[in-house]
Amino acid sequence: MTVYDWFVSLWRTVIPTLVGFAATALAHVYIDVDEQALATALMAGFITVYYGLFRFLEARVNPKFGWFLGLARPPAYPTKPTPAQQPVTRNPNSSYGPPPV
C-alpha cells in the first residue's frame, strides 16, 4: 500500500466521523436528553449508516458518490500473489538433484 492509499483510507474514515458528529449535534438539539451514552450511540449509528450508504452508492450506482466520503477513489490494496505465481528458488546446498558444478 502506498502512502497515498494509506492517506485515502484514513481520510475516508475521518469524513464519515465528522458527518456523524455533525448529525449527532443536530439530533441532540431536537432530543432533550443529556446522556453521554445516547450521544455516543447516535454518533456511531450515524457514522455507520452514512459510510455504508455512500460506500454502497459508490460501488453500485456511481463512483462519484465517493466524494461524500472525502475522495472519489477508494484506496487500492495490493493483492498477494498466489503460490503458483511465486518464483521457485532452489537451494544450492540441498541434497535434491545433481550437485552444482
Side-chain angles (χ1 to χ4, degrees), residues 2-91:
T2 65
V3 173
Y4 181 77
D5 288 329
W6 177 81
F7 174 74
V8 167
S9 67
L10 183 64
W11 187 250
R12 289 169 60 101
T13 301
V14 168
I15 295 299
T17 303
L18 293 176
V19 171
F21 177 76
T24 302
L26 288 174
H28 204 64
V29 169
Y30 296 106
I31 300 173
D32 192 24
V33 177
D34 192 39
E35 294 183 20
Q36 186 66 29
L38 177 62
T40 302
L42 281 174
M43 185 181 293
F46 281 125
I47 290 169
T48 303
V49 169
Y50 181 89
Y51 181 81
L53 173 68
F54 286 107
R55 188 68 181 101
F56 175 80
L57 291 173
E58 177 185 40
R60 305 290 177 154
V61 178
N62 190 335
K64 291 183 180 181
F65 278 106
W67 282 112
F68 288 97
L69 298 175
L71 291 171
R73 185 183 77 82
Y77 299 105
T79 58
K80 292 183 178 181
T82 61
Q85 294 173 335
Q86 294 176 348
V88 178
T89 58
R90 186 170 157 248
N91 184 354

